Amino acid sequence: MNADKLKQYIALFGGLLSTIYLFLDSIGVAPKWFTPKVINSFTDMVMAAVPFIIIGYGVWKNSYIVTKKAKEQEKCLKEKGLK
């Protein structure tokens, strides 16, 4: 999945929330906290959080200090002269 597809999925989710808001508003149910401004803010937050999570996962997977298996792998790489 590339960044463009991820943005499309997030926009789709934001659109779904907007549709729910319009439906609730049309039947007279309008919670004060569920507004278009809140929906846009939530979508923006997810747009910022998803890359952060992906980068954090990449750092986690590519570091040799976190898990025992990673420490063993680092030791093995050093023995073979690859690190």
Side-chain angles (χ1 to χ4, degrees):
M1 177 181 304
N2 59 22
D4 186 49
K5 283 292 181 194
L6 190 57
K7 287 179 183 177
Q8 289 177 14
Y9 281 119
I10 293 170
L12 178 68
F13 185 69
L16 177 65
L17 290 177
S18 296
T19 304
I20 292 170
Y21 169 75
L22 290 173
F23 173 74
L24 290 175
D25 192 43
S26 70
I27 61 173
V29 177
K32 293 180 182 180
W33 57 270
F34 194 61
T35 64
K37 185 177 178 181
V38 170
I39 293 169
N40 290 336
S41 297
F42 178 76
T43 304
D44 291 342
M45 181 198 65
V46 172
M47 284 279 215
V50 168
F52 178 77
I53 292 168
I54 291 171
I55 291 169
Y57 177 74
V59 170
W60 172 271
K61 290 300 285 182
N62 291 313
S63 68
Y64 293 106
I65 60 172
V66 182
T67 63
K68 183 179 178 182
K69 182 180 176 183
K71 290 175 187 176
E72 290 172 5
Q73 184 180 14
E74 181 182 31
K75 182 181 174 186
C76 206
L77 288 172
K78 284 182 179 178
E79 288 172 357
K80 293 179 180 180
L82 298 174
K83 182 172 183 211

